Amino acid sequence: MGADRFSTATKLKALGTALVQGPSAARVYRARTPRRSRLTGRAALLALVVCSLVVALAYPMRQWVTQRSDIADQRRQTEHAREQVKRLRDEKARLEDPAYVEQQAREHLHYVRPGETGFSVVDGSGAAKRPKDQGAGDRPWYSNLWEDVDTADGHR
């Protein structure tokens, strides 16, 4: 064993002897004793192992978290797709009913049965009013062209 590995009792005995001999000997004793470093070889090895483990596990942990997030997204999409399939199956079942198909044709396509008279009410009042100027559709093409040229020149 090395000289710096004395027991505490041996060190105290040597310090007491140095104090008995005088204050200058105590200073010499303190100056000669080397200070032990707080970072020992074992502590350095332990720190190296811990750092290596952290570095080695960082990427797999990040991958694991990312995959868990992806799995959650896939589950949400699956649930949404199941709801859509259920809704489409319900719609398919309704479209197989002839009464529903007839109702949709009457409502959206304005179909009428033979012998019936169909009416379309535009604004609900029954009186059809035509606006004075419907824009470019009312005027001849050359008027539209001349208006566009005036607008581009900034005369309007």
Side-chain angles (χ1 to χ4, degrees), residues 11-102:
K11 288 181 181 180
L12 286 175
K13 189 175 180 182
L15 183 59
T17 306
L19 285 175
V20 170
Q21 291 175 357
S24 62
R27 271 191 235 121
V28 169
Y29 175 75
R30 277 189 236 136
R32 279 189 267 157
T33 58
R35 294 203 86 188
R36 289 187 59 185
S37 172
R38 289 183 175 256
L39 183 64
T40 63
R42 287 182 182 169
L45 182 63
L46 180 64
L48 180 67
V49 168
V50 169
C51 289
S52 298
L53 285 174
V54 166
V55 169
L57 293 177
Y59 183 73
M61 286 301 294
R62 187 176 65 116
Q63 290 290 67
W64 182 76
V65 169
T66 303
Q67 288 174 357
R68 297 302 297 173
S69 173
D70 291 344
I71 289 170
D73 289 342
Q74 290 296 322
R75 285 184 178 153
R76 273 187 245 112
Q77 288 177 2
T78 302
E79 187 60 34
H80 178 69
R82 282 186 182 139
E83 291 172 3
Q84 189 174 9
V85 166
K86 184 178 183 275
R87 189 171 26 87
L88 289 173
R89 283 186 180 153
D90 291 344
E91 181 70 20
K92 180 184 174 191
R94 277 189 303 222
L95 287 173
E96 290 175 354
D97 181 22
Y100 178 76
V101 172
E102 181 181 348

Side-chain angles (χ1 to χ4, degrees), residues 99-121:
Y100 178 76
V101 172
E102 181 181 348
Q103 179 220 353
Q104 292 297 313
R106 285 176 170 266
E107 183 178 325
H108 294 290
L109 302 175
H110 306 289
Y111 280 19
V112 292
R113 289 184 170 266
E116 293 180 346
T117 306
F119 295 97
S120 293
V121 180

